[in-house]
Amino acid sequence: MIPIEVENRIAYYFFRMYLPDEVMFKIEDRLLPTCIWSEEEDLDHDELVRWAIEIIDQQLEDKQFR
């Protein structure tokens, strides 16, 4: 099994290198207000991930990566 820290670092690299800026901006627009106005321990991380995945899926629907 791959350690979670390694998976997170790979995901972070992919997220920053290959996700188009417009998608990043939409994710930030959706997640930041909730993150700013909530305490860390009150955040539902699973829900935040679901929101981001929905945006990514919508924006990259028919696109392929190099």
Side-chain angles (χ1 to χ4, degrees), residues 8 31 34-35 38-53:
N8 288 342
L31 300 184
T34 301
C35 294
S38 299
E39 295 294 326
E40 175 71 26
E41 60 272 1
D42 294 335
L43 290 173
D44 182 344
H45 292 191
D46 291 333
E47 184 175 35
L48 294 173
V49 170
R50 279 192 298 275
W51 291 346
I53 289 171

Side-chain angles (χ1 to χ4, degrees), residues 13-31:
Y13 172 81
F14 177 83
F15 193 71
R16 294 295 177 191
M17 292 298 295
Y18 295 105
L19 213 55
D21 288 341
E22 67 186 51
V23 177
M24 290 290 296
F25 295 142
K26 288 180 188 270
I27 292 170
E28 289 172 352
D29 284 346
R30 177 64 178 104
L31 300 184

